[in-house]
Amino acid sequence: GAVVSQHPSRVICKSGTSVKIECRSLDFQATTMFWYRQFPKKSLMLMATSNEGSKATYEQGVEKDKFLINHASLTLSTLTVTSAHPEDSSFYICSARSTSSQEWIQYFGPGTRLLVL
Amino acid sequence: DAKTTQPPSMDCAEGRAANLPCNHSTISGNEYVYWYRQIHSQGPQYIIHGLKNNETNEMASLIITEDRKSSTLILPHATLRDTAVYYCIVRTGGTSYGKLTFGQGTILTVHP
């Protein structure tokens, strides 16, 4: 149980285009989902926290107009990188927390590797 | 959230126990200790968490000192597939959201 999927697993796009990454909780409902970014040989950096049906909360320094987050259902959150530039190339990872679990555990997806040319 | 300190790297022989330390000397009473690991190019995997009691599951054991200022993750019989970056994270309890803040972690290398 507690499986989180991401799609696509890797994407290459041209500079200036937008890219959407999907995060799904496959066997549980998630009130809260999180989006992280990880650069090579670095640790994960939290970008934003999203709650189903409400606006995401962004970490300091993360542009909300550039990284659009939608959490439309209890099993799906999307991250759209708008007008992508080469510096947005990174490993994007989502995580989700079960609504029903008494334990506060975040389960992570496998990540999406974005390369902007 | 309390800051954690971990050694940057450790080695362990296959089949032996791997003991990964974590210092969280500024932890407060309602903060939990979580351990995750990340195998190269994958998302982090939850291992175990605890508040003040020692915990054990099918993956590992978590030993928290009585003053809660440090903890040790124990992988009882390490295998080559346990080679990963291990993150010790302290999270504030009692909130609905409560984010996890990742540090640099410990690179554990299990060798034959």
Side-chain angles (χ1 to χ4, degrees), chain B:
Chain B
D1 288 345
K3 185 180 170 70
T4 62
T5 305
Q6 298 178 251
S9 64
M10 293 183 66
D11 287 336
C12 177
E14 188 177 20
R16 304 298 291 265
N19 299 294
L20 292 92
C22 179
N23 183 287
H24 31 79
S25 58
T26 59
I27 194 170
S28 58
N30 66 344
E31 290 183 315
Y32 290 75
V33 179
Y34 284 76
W35 283 84
Y36 282 79
R37 72 180 182 184
Q38 185 177 28
I39 295 170
H40 183 60
S41 295
Q42 298 181 25
Q45 177 188 22
Y46 166 78
I47 301 173
I48 200 166
H49 76 284
L51 182 61
K52 50 186 175 182
N53 297 322
N54 297 337
E55 303 287 344
T56 296
N57 62 21
E58 65 278 4
M59 287 184 69
S61 295
L62 173 61
I63 308 298
I64 303 174
T65 58
E66 194 168 338
D67 63 7
R68 304 208 323 120
K69 293 185 177 182
S70 66
S71 60
T72 301
L73 178 74
I74 301 172
L75 307 179
H77 305 287
T79 70
L80 299 179
R81 286 184 288 183
D82 292 322
T83 292
V85 181
Y86 286 77
Y87 296 100
C88 169
I89 303 165
V90 172
R91 185 191 75 83
T92 301
T95 66
S96 298
Y97 308 146
K99 51 194 178 184
L100 296 177
T101 302
F102 284 76
Q104 295 307 306
T106 296
I107 300 172
L108 175 67
T109 303
V110 181
H111 51 85

Side-chain angles (χ1 to χ4, degrees), chain A residues 36-51:
Chain A
Y36 293 80
R37 181 167 54 179
Q38 185 175 32
F39 292 107
K41 299 189 185 302
K42 299 292 185 183
S43 189
L44 284 78
M45 286 174 36
L46 179 65
M47 299 174 67
T49 302
S50 74
N51 293 287

Side-chain angles (χ1 to χ4, degrees), chain A residues 25-72:
Chain A
S25 55
L26 298 185
D27 52 1
F28 66 98
Q29 293 186 323
T31 302
T32 307
M33 288 185 169
F34 304 83
W35 287 95
Y36 293 80
R37 181 167 54 179
Q38 185 175 32
F39 292 107
K41 299 189 185 302
K42 299 292 185 183
S43 189
L44 284 78
M45 286 174 36
L46 179 65
M47 299 174 67
T49 302
S50 74
N51 293 287
E52 186 262 339
S54 62
K55 290 184 179 180
T57 302
Y58 290 81
E59 294 300 301
Q60 191 172 7
V62 178
E63 300 175 58
K64 62 179 181 181
D65 295 329
K66 181 167 185 59
F67 298 101
L68 301 179
I69 292 171
N70 185 287
H71 191 162

